[in-house]
Amino acid sequence: MPDTKRGRERKGQKKRHQRREYEIEQALEARDRDLDFEELYEEAELELEL
């Protein structure tokens, strides 16, 4: 199959889209790692059964 300008452009768009999704996913994972769990459960009362 011959190489076409349209094909190269579409491939480039797909790669940019994939890179953008990857960067968003990495940012969300980093944010989740940085959460302070004490802040999350500050107002919650947990009952522990012994």
Side-chain angles (χ1 to χ4, degrees):
M1 180 175 252
D3 186 25
T4 63
K5 182 177 180 182
R6 184 173 193 272
R8 288 190 305 271
E9 289 172 347
R10 291 181 73 194
K11 184 176 181 181
Q13 288 175 351
K14 183 174 182 176
K15 291 293 182 185
R16 281 190 296 274
H17 180 72
Q18 290 172 337
R19 188 178 325 119
R20 196 174 318 123
E21 286 182 344
Y22 176 77
E23 290 171 353
I24 291 170
E25 182 179 326
Q26 293 300 314
L28 291 174
E29 288 178 4
R31 184 192 70 183
D32 290 344
R33 282 192 300 268
D34 293 341
L35 289 177
D36 183 3
F37 286 99
E38 288 182 21
E39 283 181 15
L40 286 176
Y41 297 107
E42 189 174 279
E43 297 177 11
E45 293 184 21
L46 301 175
E47 294 182 23
L48 301 175
E49 294 182 26
L50 300 174

